[in-house]
């Protein structure tokens, strides 16, 4: 009898399993593919490896004092990406071994509230954590397209690319292909790119991406994708009628769906809907002893959210009383310029009729930003509670904001008023010095 069986070895599942193992619990982790999940094999890590190279290439081209030509070796990039993934996969295996977590490579199915079947064997546990993740949404019109995972497996750059969907995944992959010289068009149904980004930041990002040469069609509904020999024709409706664009490859980045099929949820009565397995903020499902975390719940499709949800569930299943907080969840979009955010957007505050004060400063106030991002016009924007000076939301466009948004997440997590920033000494020159220049009044 195990204390915990974890289904899925992504960032939700493997961190939860390792934590329970470190607590001395008897843990079994069942993964049907490779340890690391979407994040490591078809998400965060491969895309960020690609984007690092692309941003470097773009920066070199824009540095006039560096002469000569630099070209992308795409096969070499794929090799390096696979090496990084292999290294990190081995790290996860070592972490699980150290925590004495047993692992089985098989597809798992819950057959009773405390029983899981895998590889024809039945395993019993006091607790089951569903961490089965998600997969790309594939509506019928996506038949002649590649999804993000297939795109990451390309062996050669496409001659041209149309991206269906201007959400985070579409924008990041579009940014890569554009930076390495592939003509890119993005077709997005709504009038804003980047999904739930703050509206003002999304507008500025759109301007920057357009200026860099990516084509956009917003408020455009894709009707069909057809093959004409090797070419794909995408037909979409825009305000002024039907349009067609052609490309060698079409990427469908149309959202993600939870991997609920085959888990035995209906059989044991675990509640779920099209967004995923329903959980409370403690990580519980409606069935005692069955917990869920990560993309399979559909609550927050980020690797670090999956990890935290898994850790919260582990704490609660072994006697704790922890609750998941989503109000200080940071996120980053690794486009050029990069976007980072934590907390509420202006739109959310307006919709909730929450009073707020907005303070914005250009990142160019920081010397290092001027050095490192000479052609960007990034901003730092914070939204404050007028009475307590606490941060309700913070948004950074540009300047590797993903690397320093956590300082604002920390302030939000511990409810530190923003004027306390005035007492902090920032090293010079750093981009985060923009925080020092905010000079929030007490
Ligand atoms: C292109 C792309 C880029 C991304 N970039 C970022 C980023 O930069 N930052 C970020 O925070 N997030 C990013 N994400 C999102 C991130 O990958 C996910 O939020 C994260 O992987 C979710 O973790 P998880 O553990 O819930 O699920 P997953 O990582 O999907 O892992 C689930 C695991 O469960 C296994 N599994 C499923 N069903 C079963 C079963 N029945 N039996 C056994 N095993 C099973 C799967 O094989 C998989 O390994 C990106 C996603 C994509 C697609």
């Amino acid at each position: 009898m195990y204390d915990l069986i974890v289904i899925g070895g992504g960032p939700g599942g493997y961190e939860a399993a390792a934590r329970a193992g470190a607590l001395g619990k008897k843990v079994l982790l069942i993964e049907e593919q490779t340890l690391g999940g979407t994040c490591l094999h078809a998400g965060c890590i491969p895309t960020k490896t690609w984007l690092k190279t692309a941003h470097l290439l773009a920066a070199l081209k824009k540095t006039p004092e560096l002469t000569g030509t630099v070209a992308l070796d795409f096969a070499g990039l794929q090799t390096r990406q696979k090496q990084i993934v292999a290294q990190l996969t081995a790290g996860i295996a070592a972490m699980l071994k150290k925590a004495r977590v047993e692992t089985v490579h098989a597809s798992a199915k819950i057959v009773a509230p405390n029983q899981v079947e895998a590889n024809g064997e039945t395993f019993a546990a006091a607790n089951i954590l569903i961490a089965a993740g998600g997969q790309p949404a594939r509506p019928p019109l996506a038949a002649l397209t590649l999804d993000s995972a297939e795109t990451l497996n390309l062996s050669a750059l496409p001659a041209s690319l149309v991206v269906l969907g201007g959400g985070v995944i579409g924008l990041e992959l579009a940014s890569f292909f554009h930076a390495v010289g592939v003509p890119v068009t993005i077709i997005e149904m709504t009038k804003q790119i980047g999904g739930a980004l703050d509206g003002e930041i999304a507008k500025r990002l759109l301007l920057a991406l357009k200026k860099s040469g990516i084509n956009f069609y917003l408020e455009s509904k894709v009707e069909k994708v057809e093959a004409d020999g090797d070419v794909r024709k995408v037909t979409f409706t825009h305000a002024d009628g039907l349009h067609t664009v052609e490309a060698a490859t079409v990427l469908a980045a149309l959202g993600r769906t939870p991997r609920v099929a085959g888990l035995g949820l209906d059989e044991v009565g675990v509640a779920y809907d099209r967004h995923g397995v329903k959980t409370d903020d403690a990580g519980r499902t409606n069935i005692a002893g069955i917990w869920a975390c990560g993309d399979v719940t559909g609550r927050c499709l980020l690797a670090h959210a999956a990890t935290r949800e898994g850790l919260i569930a582990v704490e609660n299943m072994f006697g704790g009383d922890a609750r998941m907080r989503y109000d200080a969840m940071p996120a980053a979009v690794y486009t050029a310029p990069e976007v980072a955010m934590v907390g509420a957007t202006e739109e959310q505050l307006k919709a909730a009729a929450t009073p707020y004060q907005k303070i914005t400063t250009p990142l160019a106030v920081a010397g290092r930003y001027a050095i490192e991002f000479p052609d960007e016009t990034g901003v730092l924007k914070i939204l404050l509670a007028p009475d307590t000076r606490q941060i309700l939301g913070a948004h950074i466009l540009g300047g590797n904001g993903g690397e320093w948004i956590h300082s604002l997440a920390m302030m939000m997590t511990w409810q530190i008023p923003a004027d306390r920033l005035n007492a902090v000494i920032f090293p010079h020159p750093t981009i985060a010095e923009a925080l020092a220049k905010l000079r929030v009044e007490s």
Side-chain angles (χ1 to χ4, degrees):
M1 177 88 165
Y2 289 93
D3 294 311
L4 168 63
I5 292 178
V6 178
I7 301 178
Y14 69 72
E15 292 282 3
R19 175 71 187 139
L23 290 173
K25 306 297 175 187
K26 188 170 159 59
V27 185
L28 173 67
L29 185 151
I30 309 176
E31 167 55 57
E32 67 183 12
Q33 293 175 30
T34 316
L35 286 174
T38 305
C39 177
L40 183 48
H41 300 282
C44 329
I45 300 300
T47 52
K48 269 80 249 182
T49 309
W50 277 22
L51 283 162
K52 172 69 191 167
T53 298
H55 295 333
L56 204 54
L57 186 65
L60 285 175
K61 284 184 183 165
K62 285 184 214 153
T63 308
E65 64 274 27
L66 293 176
T67 56
T69 47
V70 188
L72 174 72
D73 166 11
F74 187 61
L77 174 60
Q78 289 294 58
T79 303
R80 198 167 75 82
Q81 186 248 107
K82 287 189 173 81
Q83 283 165 352
I84 292 168
V85 169
Q87 177 194 332
L88 295 176
T89 307
I92 294 168
M95 178 177 77
L96 292 173
K97 193 173 167 204
K98 189 170 171 219
R100 288 192 287 279
V101 173
E102 294 173 40
T103 48
V104 164
H105 283 280
S107 182
K109 180 176 178 182
I110 305 172
V111 290
N114 63 347
Q115 282 184 2
V116 177
E117 208 175 77
N119 260 348
E121 255 189 273
T122 304
F123 302 91
N127 297 282
I128 296 169
L129 176 66
I130 305 170
Q135 60 210 351
R138 299 287 321 211
L141 70 80
L144 292 166
T145 67
L146 301 182
D147 63 30
S148 55
E150 292 163 338
T151 302
L152 286 165
N153 274 326
L154 282 172
S155 53
L157 290 175
S160 53
L161 180 74
V162 168
V163 180
L164 312 185
V168 171
I169 292 174
L171 290 178
E172 288 188 349
L173 286 168
S175 292
F176 167 78
F177 285 108
H178 168 69
V180 299
V182 176
V184 176
T185 300
I186 298 181
I187 305 174
E188 162 58 41
M189 197 154 82
T190 68
K191 62 179 177 195
Q192 177 173 315
I193 60 166
L197 291 185
D198 180 88
E200 184 185 347
I201 297 289
K203 270 190 203 137
R204 286 170 174 266
L205 176 65
L206 176 66
L207 277 178
L209 295 178
K210 273 185 172 171
K211 198 174 147 209
S212 76
I214 298 179
N215 299 314
F216 281 90
Y217 290 95
L218 301 185
E219 297 180 85
S220 299
K221 184 171 176 291
V222 176
E223 305 291 348
K224 59 185 175 188
V225 182
E226 297 166 297
D228 182 1
D230 285 347
V231 172
R232 299 281 180 267
K233 286 185 169 180
V234 181
T235 304
F236 59 94
T237 316
H238 190 61
D240 55 355
L242 274 184
H243 292 252
T244 301
V245 284
E246 293 184 357
T249 299
V250 180
L251 159 65
L254 298 168
R256 296 186 55 85
T257 56
R259 283 187 62 174
V260 287
L263 284 170
L265 302 185
D266 293 319
E267 290 87 332
V268 289
V270 174
Y272 68 96
D273 60 16
R274 68 189 176 88
H275 302 293
V277 175
K278 289 176 185 272
T279 53
D280 63 14
D281 286 350
R284 290 188 177 86
T285 69
N286 60 314
I287 304 288
I290 302 186
W291 310 72
C293 70
D295 281 11
V296 77
T297 70
R299 295 190 70 166
C300 182
L301 305 186
L302 291 167
H304 44 282
T307 296
R308 179 55 63 93
E309 288 167 349
L311 296 177
I312 295 267
V314 166
E315 192 167 336
N316 291 328
M317 65 182 73
F318 299 120
D321 185 21
R323 292 290 176 277
M324 185 67 197
R325 275 183 68 174
Y326 294 94
D327 60 328
M329 178 73 66
V333 187
Y334 298 82
T335 41
E338 184 166 304
V339 180
M341 63 174 287
V342 59
T345 62
E346 269 200 85
E347 289 71 26
Q348 286 167 335
L349 295 177
K350 279 180 189 152
T354 306
Y356 66 92
Q357 180 195 350
K358 173 164 89 171
I359 304 181
T360 305
T361 183
L363 294 185
V365 294
R368 187 160 178 183
Y369 182 72
I371 298 166
E372 295 194 7
F373 298 94
D375 58 341
E376 278 189 7
T377 50
V379 289
L380 163 65
K381 156 172 164 176
I382 60 169
L383 306 168
L384 301 180
D387 47 355
T388 62
R389 321 308 283 151
Q390 277 174 13
I391 302 169
L392 304 170
H395 305 269
I396 305 168
L397 178 72
N400 288 346
E403 282 299 330
W404 48 284
I405 191 74
H406 67 280
S407 51
L408 293 154
M410 280 165 70
M411 294 182 72
M412 288 184 72
T413 302
W414 300 112
Q415 296 175 320
I416 300 170
D419 54 340
R420 300 278 176 88
L421 272 169
N422 299 337
V424 178
I425 301 170
F426 288 79
H428 176 75
T430 54
I431 298 171
E433 272 181 293
L435 286 169
K437 311 278 181 181
L438 281 172
R439 302 306 304 174
V440 178
E441 300 299 329
S442 301

